[in-house]
Amino acid sequence: MASRKKCLVLGLLAFLWAELGIEGKEEEEEQTCQLLGKFDLNGNHSLVIGGLFTLHSRTTPANDSILEPVSAKCGGFNFRGFCWMKTMIHTIREINERKDILPNITLGYQIFDTCFTISKSVEAALVFLTGQEENKPSFRNSTGAMLAGIVGAGGPSLSVAASRTLGLYYLPQVGYASTSSLLSDKYQFPSYLRTVASDKIQSEAMVQLIQHFGWVWIGTIAADDDYGKYGVKIFKEKMESVNLCVAFSETIPKVHSNEKMQKAIDAIRNSTARVIVLYASDIDLSPFLLEMVYRNIADRTRIASEAWIALALIAKPEYFPYFGGSIGFSIPRADILGLKEFLYDVHLGKDPNDVLTIEFWQTAFNCTWPNSRVPYNTEHRVNMTGEEDRLHAMSDKFYTGKEKLEDLKNTYLDVSQLRITHNVNQIVYLWHMPWIVLSRCEEGHWPYIPGNTCAYTDFEPWQLMYYLKTLKFTTHDGMRIEIDDNGAVTGNYDILNWQLDDNGEIAFVKVGEYIFTNSKFELVMIKNATIFWNTESSELPHSVCTDLCQPGTRKGIRHGEPICCFDCILCADGHVSREPGQRECEQCGEDYWSNAQKSECVLKEVEFLTYDEVLGFTLVILSIFGSLVVSTVTVVYVIYRHTLLVTANDRELSFLVQVSLVITLPSSMFFIGKPYNWSCMARQVTLALGFSLCLSCILGKALSLFLAYRISKSKTRLISIHPLYWKIIVLISVVVEIGICTAYLVLEPPRVYKNMESQNIKIILECYEGSIEFLCSIFGMDVFLALLCFLTTLVARQLPDNYYEGKCITFGMLVFFIVWISFVPAYLSTKGKFKVAAEIFAILASSYGLLGCIFAAKCFIILLRPKRNTDEIVGGRVPTVDKNIQLTSASVSSELNNTMVSTVRMSRVMGCMCPSELQWRYGSTSPFRWFPQQLPDVLG
């Protein structure tokens, strides 16, 4: 039993020891960080410059059966990226061969293929940092050479991905093609610099170009990456700031999608926008271009970003009907000495194991290299849209040795458009400047810690960044490089236009440039430069949502639509728009009005009753004619002043009535013609005084008739009234009227007034009458006199007489009242010159009425029936035996000593000479006898 217990205890201890040992090993393994794989490195090794280039356009899916994570393989050989890589190698060799640049330093390089994918770019950045050492990060590669910095990566998304990792250690990275504005954020990307301008500059240049050509309705197509998204975002912001509109905004998918591609194509086809901004790289744009060709969409003008405007990959003659006339911004071109020969010096004979060279030959000549370990890439038969490549079908022929690089036409050997390629060359040369400064370092005078010591070859990355971010120098080919605070350079863009040359090839013709410096942003177009437009008429394309509103109209907002889509609304009356496309109409000045087209303010028509128009001329003729008629009556009265009809009922008052009518009738002419302040004062005062004199004289006649009527009724002895009293009544009436008129003219005189309320299109020049109270007082006096005349003659209308003047005055007053009562509504309902004409008509009508009723019958008898102008006919005798007979107006007379007194004699003072019944109202034509009693001479 004891031995068994000992065995169990020993076994348990052994088991516990084994378990504890295993757990310790697991803890030790968990604390150790190891790389899961190693990556391929190529290049010479010394003081090293890293390179990130897009040597392939995509990655191929990994084998799902392999559980261990491996680096993805790349496909789609990129001639352009291969050219950039070769340019970097050529420039490094050139610098190493020169003794005047870095004589004690030999540059090396390490270049990685990003395969146009973010994952490969990050993978390359990690390799640069670790140098494939498994325990700790290091800035040295596996050979121990110092890594000075990185050139690249190609696209913005690739540069962003790599810089987020490299920036953690402040490792300098200088981009040659990444224009994304995101990279200007020095907080996120502290160690990133570039030799190209930001998309912010390019977007500003695009908007200025759009404004220069008058386009307002623009579509956008962008790659589905940082370059396209951020570029279009800034472009939209710039467009909105200048009131331009984006018709649509679509993306080109990075991974093939029929739905997304069709959506972008449909947006272009269905939109009225004829100008499209394309923010994409050549690799992303290629499948989209093929779809445009397949869908036969040709009548559009493209504004190109710098990534594809000058690329031979796209600029092929077969694409010209669809992309010809494209205009865009490009990095200025330059020549690189010796580069062409270096690019042609690529052959497998120098290095049969160079897989990139083998792939270059196989892809360039569409063949397979014999006994090559690089398999032929059959993916070239299918483009990225998933359809058969209609333009680049390839065969499976083998390499024959007869192929010549001189026969190729691709972006690798094209040295006529060295733009981004020249940027690569500049970046490599840029690196030697901070090393020169480091070599001249003096101890204690530079911001190095600890100890303020200089670093010649053993330097920290941030020490190199100190000089790079403030770099200003002139390159070997004379170009000036200045890096601003955002890590980008200043300079200029070339504005290129796609045209066909004499050989039928696409030429990139420079038609202008965009200059951008710290203090200047200017678009400069070359004078008389020929620009090709891809339109049916080859004229400047018209890209608007709504045509520009013409002068005379304004923009009307369409709710829910961009501001470039609007309705053209005619300006309101009195408002104009002088320039096309005005948002608001401008109101004309006080004396101006809009013309029929609403495009100009013109002086308003000034309206007043003139002499030269038919209405004014007619009224003047009537006024003059009336004055002549009154003058004729006066002449008749003067000639026949001793006859019975003239002397009856106060001859002097009759003459004053005629004088007043001569004043009243011509006063109407003050209302005609352009009004002035003096004419405004004269018209109403003259009219009021004329009517006052006329009516007061008629009142004197009416009172004499009224007294005659009262005598005949009362049959009593009346006090004698001298004729002078009637004249005093006239004088008092006129003096009162003159007093009121004088106060009117002194206190609130009438003046000229521009009436703009009645008619907007006219200025009615009229007289503002001043005080309504004064005006009512003036004409109220006339109305009062007219009422007295009417009432007195109405009472005395029954006096018997052959020519009874009382009835004539009654009818005259009725005419006067009818005219002026009718005048009031007519005056208030009319405007302008017709209002004045209505007043003139009332003046003339009332004057003619008074003239006709009072004087027409007398003149008829005086001139045409003189035999009736006798004592027997004008008046009559009344028998004294008839006590019931009343006095006639012609027989009120004094008969002294029971003698007969002639009725005519009495009629000179009290008689009325007006047409009445031809026979006496009692049926007898013989004169009556007077009453037997003696009557006093009533009038003295």
Side-chain angles (χ1 to χ4, degrees):
M1 286 294 293
S3 61
R4 288 183 178 180
K5 289 181 180 180
K6 290 180 180 179
C7 290
L8 288 173
V9 170
L10 291 174
L12 180 60
L13 291 174
F15 175 78
L16 292 174
W17 178 81
E19 288 294 323
L20 291 174
I22 293 172
E23 289 178 3
K25 290 182 179 180
E26 289 178 354
E27 291 178 359
E28 185 179 353
E29 290 177 357
E30 288 177 359
Q31 294 174 358
T32 303
C33 180
Q34 294 181 342
L35 290 175
L36 298 179
K38 296 182 181 292
F39 315 121
D40 297 332
L41 297 174
N42 296 290
N44 300 321
H45 307 292
S46 182
L47 184 60
V48 174
I49 300 176
L52 295 175
F53 296 99
T54 307
L55 302 178
H56 294 84
S57 59
R58 59 186 178 273
T59 58
T60 57
N63 190 346
D64 296 337
S65 62
I66 302 176
L67 299 179
E68 180 185 1
V70 296
S71 179
K73 299 299 182 181
C74 299
F77 190 79
N78 184 12
F79 290 104
R80 198 178 183 210
F82 190 58
C83 176
W84 295 341
M85 183 200 72
K86 286 289 188 178
T87 301
M88 177 179 171
I89 296 173
H90 166 72
T91 307
I92 289 175
R93 290 184 178 181
E94 186 178 61
I95 292 175
N96 288 335
E97 292 173 359
R98 294 180 60 173
K99 301 302 181 182
D100 57 333
I101 300 178
L102 304 177
N104 299 322
I105 298 176
T106 302
L107 299 180
Y109 57 87
Q110 286 186 344
I111 298 174
F112 290 87
D113 184 7
T114 63
C115 302
F116 205 62
T117 57
I118 294 176
S119 61
K120 296 294 287 185
S121 181
V122 173
E123 182 181 293
L126 291 173
V127 173
F128 280 133
L129 289 175
T130 63
Q132 295 201 121
E133 297 290 340
E134 296 187 2
N135 295 326
K136 60 182 179 179
S138 173
F139 300 110
R140 305 174 185 274
N141 60 20
S142 56
T143 62
M146 175 64 67
L147 180 62
I150 310 296
V151 177
S157 297
L158 309 180
S159 295
V160 167
S163 185
R164 289 190 185 278
T165 303
L166 299 174
L168 295 175
Y169 300 94
Y170 223 66
L171 183 64
Q173 179 185 0
V174 184
Y176 52 85
S178 300
T179 60
S180 174
S181 59
L182 185 63
L183 291 166
S184 298
D185 186 353
K186 295 297 103 180
Y187 181 78
Q188 296 188 62
F189 309 100
S191 64
Y192 185 83
L193 307 174
R194 53 187 166 189
T195 57
V196 289
S198 166
D199 284 335
K200 184 177 181 181
I201 302 296
Q202 185 171 207
S203 296
E204 177 70 29
M206 286 181 174
V207 172
Q208 288 195 28
L209 183 71
I210 290 169
Q211 288 180 303
H212 174 79
F213 291 117
W215 300 321
V216 297
W217 190 233
I218 310 297
T220 64
I221 299 292
D224 191 12
D225 56 13
D226 289 340
Y227 175 68
K229 291 178 180 179
Y230 283 99
V232 166
K233 177 179 177 293
I234 296 173
F235 174 76
K236 288 181 179 179
E237 292 173 354
K238 297 290 185 182
M239 290 278 286
E240 184 178 354
S241 66
V242 294
N243 295 324
L244 300 179
C245 302
V246 176
F248 60 87
S249 184
E250 299 295 339
T251 57
I252 301 173
K254 298 289 285 186
V255 180
H256 169 64
S257 171
N258 281 328
E259 181 181 355
K260 291 182 180 181
M261 188 69 75
Q262 188 62 42
K263 183 180 179 182
I265 296 296
D266 290 342
I268 296 174
R269 177 180 293 165
N270 299 330
S271 176
T272 57
R274 289 295 178 267
V275 178
I276 302 169
V277 170
L278 283 176
Y279 251 111
S281 65
D282 56 333
I283 296 175
D284 289 326
L285 190 61
S286 295
F288 177 76
L289 185 148
L290 293 176
E291 285 297 323
M292 293 284 286
V293 174
Y294 181 71
R295 306 293 180 181
N296 195 27
I297 302 176
D299 56 340
R300 302 292 188 277
T301 297
R302 280 82 179 178
I303 298 179
S305 63
E306 88 322 313
W308 66 271
I309 182 63
L311 297 185
L313 175 66
I314 297 175
K316 297 181 178 180
E318 55 266 33
Y319 298 158
F320 190 79
Y322 309 95
F323 273 62
S326 295
I327 189 169
F329 299 88
S330 176
I331 300 166
R333 67 170 299 278
D335 296 322
I336 301 177
L337 186 64
L339 179 62
K340 181 178 181 180
E341 292 76 11
F342 183 79
L343 294 178
Y344 274 89
D345 189 20
V346 51
H347 200 276
L348 290 175
K350 294 187 175 182
D351 187 0
N353 297 321
D354 187 350
V355 294
L356 284 178
T357 304
I358 294 175
E359 190 172 1
F360 166 78
W361 279 87
Q362 289 187 156
T363 307
F365 293 100
N366 193 15
C367 63
T368 301
W369 191 265
N371 302 321
S372 172
R373 292 179 297 174
V374 180
Y376 173 70
N377 188 1
T378 57
E379 293 180 5
H380 282 280
R381 293 185 176 185
V382 180
N383 62 27
M384 290 182 67
T385 64
E387 301 177 7
E388 184 179 353
D389 191 336
R390 294 170 293 279
L391 301 176
H392 299 287
M394 302 181 69
S395 62
D396 293 332
K397 63 180 181 179
F398 286 94
Y399 174 74
T400 62
K402 298 180 180 180
E403 292 80 3
K404 296 181 179 179
L405 292 176
E406 291 79 2
D407 298 333
L408 291 178
K409 292 183 180 180
N410 57 29
T411 55
Y412 173 74
L413 297 174
D414 184 11
V415 294
S416 63
Q417 300 294 328
L418 299 181
R419 301 178 187 274
I420 295 180
T421 306
H422 183 249
N423 277 354
V424 175
N425 176 262
Q426 282 186 321
I427 291 174
V428 177
Y429 267 98
L430 180 146
W431 284 110
H432 83 278
M433 292 301 299
W435 291 329
I436 291 176
V437 178
L438 281 173
S439 66
R440 298 171 183 172
C441 174
E442 298 180 7
E443 298 291 344
H445 293 282
W446 301 99
Y448 299 147
I449 54 176
N452 289 335
T453 58
C454 291
Y456 299 105
T457 57
D458 188 10
F459 55 85
E460 298 293 330
W462 69 268
Q463 296 171 337
L464 199 61
M465 275 298 299
Y466 174 80
Y467 296 102
L468 281 173
K469 64 183 181 181
T470 58
L471 197 59
K472 296 181 181 180
F473 74 101
T474 302
T475 64
H476 65 288
D477 53 2
M479 296 191 68
R480 181 68 178 172
I481 294 181
E482 294 185 12
I483 297 179
D484 60 20
D485 296 336
N486 295 322
V489 296
T490 59
N492 66 283
Y493 279 123
D494 286 343
I495 303 176
L496 304 181
N497 178 235
W498 280 21
Q499 301 181 19
L500 282 180
D501 59 18
D502 297 336
N503 298 323
E505 299 292 335
I506 293 181
F508 308 119
V509 180
K510 182 178 178 180
V511 296
E513 63 180 5
Y514 183 76
I515 302 171
F516 53 93
T517 62
N518 292 329
S519 60
K520 182 179 180 181
F521 296 88
E522 183 181 6
L523 181 74
V524 180
M525 302 300 293
I526 298 175
K527 292 183 178 180
N528 302 321
T530 301
I531 301 178
F532 175 80
W533 301 112
N534 192 21
T535 59
E536 293 182 0
S537 60
S538 297
E539 295 180 354
L540 181 70
H542 186 62
S543 186
V544 297
C545 179
T546 305
D547 286 329
L548 201 64
C549 291
Q550 295 303 310
T553 59
R554 65 173 178 85
K555 293 181 179 180
I557 298 174
R558 292 181 184 174
H559 294 288
E561 296 189 31
I563 60 173
C564 298
C565 301
F566 48 82
D567 297 317
C568 293
I569 302 173
L570 189 66
C571 290
D573 292 336
H575 294 71
V576 298
S577 60
R578 297 180 176 85
E579 302 295 332
Q582 284 191 210
R583 296 180 62 87
E584 297 294 339
C585 297
E586 302 171 3
Q587 186 174 3
C588 293
E590 186 180 52
D591 295 339
Y592 292 85
W593 193 251
S594 55
N595 59 3
Q597 295 76 26
K598 307 294 177 64
S599 59
E600 291 292 339
C601 288
V602 296
L603 282 171
K604 290 182 179 180
E605 177 186 351
V606 180
E607 182 181 278
F608 53 88
L609 188 61
T610 61
Y611 292 99
D612 54 359
E613 57 181 305
V614 176
L615 180 59
F617 182 75
T618 302
L619 294 175
V620 169
I621 294 299
L622 290 176
S623 177
I624 296 174
F625 178 74
S627 300
L628 293 176
V629 171
V630 174
S631 300
T632 303
V633 171
T634 303
V635 171
V636 171
Y637 264 56
V638 170
I639 294 173
Y640 296 95
R641 62 186 178 277
H642 299 298
T643 61
L644 294 176
L645 286 177
V646 174
T647 58
N649 202 8
D650 206 320
R651 177 177 57 192
E652 288 77 9
L653 290 180
S654 297
F655 280 118
L656 287 176
V657 171
Q658 294 165 11
V659 171
S660 67
L661 291 177
V662 171
I663 295 173
T664 304
L665 285 166
S667 69
S668 62
M669 288 191 291
F670 284 123
F671 292 81
I672 304 174
K674 184 177 181 180
Y676 296 95
N677 287 335
W678 66 267
S679 63
C680 289
M681 292 187 287
R683 61 169 64 173
Q684 301 294 0
V685 171
T686 305
L687 177 62
L689 291 175
F691 273 128
S692 178
L693 178 61
C694 178
L695 294 172
S696 62
C697 292
I698 295 174
L699 179 62
K701 287 176 172 288
L703 288 174
S704 67
L705 294 176
F706 178 75
L707 290 177
Y709 175 75
R710 295 299 298 170
I711 291 173
S712 66
K713 284 289 187 184
S714 64
K715 301 179 183 180
T716 59
R717 183 182 182 89
L718 298 177
I719 299 175
S720 176
I721 300 178
H722 195 276
L724 181 61
Y725 295 154
W726 314 132
K727 298 176 179 63
I728 292 175
I729 292 173
V730 173
L731 180 62
I732 292 173
S733 300
V734 173
V735 169
V736 171
E737 188 76 5
I738 290 174
I740 298 173
C741 290
T742 303
Y744 175 46
L745 295 178
V746 172
L747 297 178
E748 281 195 65
R751 63 182 183 275
V752 178
Y753 168 65
K754 293 181 179 180
N755 185 351
M756 301 180 185
E757 290 79 20
S758 299
Q759 297 186 48
N760 291 327
I761 63 174
K762 295 180 180 179
I763 298 177
I764 300 175
L765 277 184
E766 57 186 20
C767 290
Y768 173 67
E769 306 302 347
S771 173
I772 300 299
E773 292 79 6
F774 272 115
L775 195 65
C776 291
S777 300
I778 290 172
F779 289 101
M781 182 69 179
D782 294 337
V783 172
F784 175 72
L785 293 174
L787 282 173
L788 288 178
C789 293
F790 177 72
L791 293 175
T792 52
T793 54
L794 182 66
V795 172
R797 69 187 185 279
Q798 294 181 356
L799 275 175
D801 199 346
N802 289 345
Y803 304 105
Y804 179 40
E805 194 172 16
K807 290 184 178 180
C808 296
I809 294 176
T810 302
F811 281 110
M813 291 300 101
L814 285 174
V815 172
F816 184 85
F817 283 121
I818 290 172
V819 169
W820 285 103
I821 291 173
S822 302
F823 158 75
V824 172
Y827 182 82
L828 296 177
S829 62
T830 55
K831 298 178 181 179
K833 61 183 179 181
F834 299 104
K835 192 173 186 177
V836 177
E839 188 171 359
I840 297 173
F841 179 79
I843 296 170
L844 296 177
S846 59
S847 299
Y848 273 105
L850 294 174
L851 177 64
C853 290
I854 297 175
F855 297 105
K858 291 184 178 183
C859 291
F860 177 78
I861 293 174
I862 292 171
L863 297 175
L864 300 180
R865 299 290 187 270
K867 292 181 180 181
R868 296 194 178 194
N869 191 8
T870 62
D871 182 36
E872 291 77 9
I873 300 300
V874 171
R877 297 181 184 272
V878 269
T880 58
V881 295
D882 191 353
K883 298 181 179 180
N884 297 322
I885 198 68
Q886 294 178 347
L887 287 172
T888 67
S889 63
S891 62
V892 179
S893 174
S894 64
E895 183 176 336
L896 298 174
N897 300 322
N898 294 323
T899 59
M900 296 296 294
V901 181
S902 173
T903 59
V904 176
R905 174 184 161 195
M906 193 64 190
S907 67
R908 293 176 183 176
V909 179
M910 298 290 294
C912 295
M913 302 305 173
C914 181
S916 181
E917 301 90 348
L918 292 178
Q919 294 183 347
W920 294 99
R921 59 185 298 181
Y922 297 103
S924 175
T925 59
S926 64
F928 290 96
R929 300 294 299 173
W930 282 94
F931 290 109
Q933 64 268 26
Q934 294 180 356
L935 291 175
D937 190 355
V938 182
L939 301 178

